[in-house]
Amino acid sequence: MIVIVRENVAPEGLDELCGYLRSQDVEPHVIVGQKQTVVGLIGDTTSIDIHHLESMGQVASVRRVSEPFKKANRQFHPDDTVVEAGGVEFGGGSFGVMAGPCSVESEEQCMIVAEAVKQAGATVFRGGAFKPRTSPYAFQGMGEEGLAILSKVKREFGMPVVSEIMDARDLPLFDDVDILQVGARNMQNFSLLKELGKTDKPILLKRGLAATIEELLMAAEYIMAGGNGRVMLCERGIRSYDTRTRNVFDVSAIPVLRGLTHLPIIADPSHATGRTRLVAPVAYAAVAAGADGLEVEVHHDPAHAASDGAQALLPGQFDEMMRRVSMVRSAVTEPLAVL
Ligand code: PEP
Ligand code: MN
């Protein structure tokens, strides 16, 4: 971190600034130029409050020269992290697909959908038991009963399961859930993230509705700082002004994240688009951009789905998507011919 000092700051002012910096456990290194004085900070600057520093009278501006996220940073961990969940891997060349209904609605529904998605090549079954709905009057999910259905699916099909956790107090109920999903609306629920950091469960962390890439990485950092390094990031579209799609899928976030972090990157084309016919094309784009996996909503009877029916793929559509996803994968992962 570099602090650019205002012009005409008296030596006492500079001393005061350096004293403050030392109190923050960093060593200030003052460089007096002809026109400008700058202070380079040596040491761990992660806990420095950049806004407080900027508000000090002696300070013109502050520039970070390294990222505020450390554990998620590829700089300090050049190899891709592979997250293993129930025998399935994501990252480092391993690609996985999580598929299933938005909400767990009944055992029959989950069994029908799980059989179809497994047959099509999905590696993880998804289903929400606790649903973060915009309206308090909308279906809130089956809760504990829904988790029991997921356990049955897991045993019946030998597939790991992913489900959203909204409240850290529910953690004991999620023992049998292989991947804990943190929904977009909870990406910055820091007390939840801290509690998940104390577990050793794989976490699927979804990008917040209006979160920057850096905020997503800082949310991952919360979990990792607690000791849980098994984090996967999920691009699921961000809020914008267009109403033709539910959100705007940020495809560029995938290669941007690839450069910044070693964590696996998953794409969710269902919540990104909100429309069934847009899901597959966006999935192909995500795969072409280098995603390590997908999370896709599939329902055998979307017209009667308790939530998100408008974006659900029918099993046949999912199967078709999976065949093309594997074509896109081989097109982008095949080594280029040497001419
Ligand atoms: C979901 O996966 O059903 C969900 C609610 O996703 P998001 O948090 O991305 O909206
Ligand atoms: Mn959904």
Side-chain angles (χ1 to χ4, degrees), residues 28-324:
H29 180 71
V30 179
I31 304 153
V32 183
Q34 262 185 343
K35 285 203 172 132
Q36 206 164 43
T37 296
V38 300
V39 184
L41 308 194
I42 298 159
D44 183 7
T45 57
T46 38
S47 57
I48 290 194
D49 181 349
I50 199 161
H51 301 296
H52 176 73
L53 201 52
E54 274 169 342
S55 72
M56 291 178 74
Q58 301 94 323
V59 175
S61 62
V62 180
R63 284 201 204 132
R64 281 199 182 276
V65 287
S66 63
E67 309 290 354
F69 47 94
K70 299 290 172 214
K71 293 193 157 52
N73 199 325
R74 189 180 280 284
Q75 235 181 346
F76 308 114
H77 188 301
D79 295 333
D80 286 346
T81 284
V82 178
V83 172
E84 185 275 333
V88 171
E89 291 186 342
F90 293 88
S94 295
F95 182 86
V97 178
M98 312 180 203
C102 177
S103 300
V104 172
E105 295 164 12
S106 68
E107 185 172 327
E108 191 200 4
Q109 169 232 23
C110 284
M111 292 294 172
I112 294 171
V113 178
E115 185 172 12
V117 297
K118 181 169 183 179
Q119 178 107 40
T123 47
V124 176
F125 184 70
R126 70 144 283 151
F130 293 87
K131 296 304 302 175
R133 305 306 299 280
T134 303
S135 163
Y137 309 116
F139 176 60
Q140 301 288 304
M142 291 180 76
E144 204 169 343
E145 210 188 324
L147 294 178
I149 293 174
L150 289 178
S151 289
K152 284 193 184 166
V153 168
K154 185 173 152 162
R155 280 198 300 279
E156 178 79 20
F157 296 98
M159 258 177 134
V161 294
V162 56
S163 198
E164 175 164 355
I165 180 157
M166 296 205 298
D167 189 327
R169 287 171 297 188
D170 293 335
L171 259 170
L173 305 177
F174 280 74
D175 260 359
D176 203 27
V177 174
D178 301 275
I179 305 174
L180 305 184
Q181 176 169 315
V182 176
R185 292 154 191 82
N186 265 323
M187 189 203 83
Q188 286 188 318
N189 180 341
F190 300 120
S191 46
L192 175 62
L193 301 179
K194 282 182 188 169
E195 287 305 313
L196 296 179
K198 294 180 197 161
T199 74
D200 61 358
K201 288 266 191 191
I203 310 292
L204 179 66
L205 177 63
K206 301 189 96 176
R207 182 175 180 181
L209 305 181
T212 63
I213 289 172
E214 185 160 310
E215 285 164 343
L216 172 61
L217 288 165
M218 292 307 284
E221 195 75 15
Y222 261 91
I223 301 168
M224 298 176 89
N228 184 358
R230 304 172 80 191
V231 181
M232 297 182 266
L233 305 171
C234 182
E235 166 57 41
R236 45 77 75 205
I238 43 176
R239 191 51 74 76
S240 187
Y241 45 83
D242 207 311
T243 53
R244 293 281 169 171
T245 54
R246 184 173 179 182
N247 290 292
V248 172
F249 184 68
D250 181 4
V251 71
S252 60
I254 297 167
V256 170
L257 285 167
R258 174 75 61 223
L260 291 172
T261 182
H262 50 90
L263 299 174
I265 304 156
I266 311 298
D268 170 354
S270 306
H271 295 88
T273 60
R275 311 266 188 277
T276 299
R277 69 180 189 84
L278 305 179
V279 172
V282 169
Y284 307 145
V287 172
D292 298 301
L294 296 171
E295 187 182 41
V296 180
E297 288 186 347
V298 179
H299 201 292
H300 67 297
D301 182 12
H304 295 100
S307 59
D308 286 352
Q311 67 194 32
L313 296 185
L314 285 162
Q317 294 169 319
F318 178 68
D319 186 68
E320 176 65 18
M321 185 204 85
M322 288 294 277
R323 285 196 294 113
R324 290 174 187 236

Side-chain angles (χ1 to χ4, degrees), residues 9-22:
V9 168
E12 307 80 65
L14 197 54
D15 284 349
E16 191 193 328
L17 174 63
C18 290
Y20 169 73
L21 292 167
R22 280 194 199 95

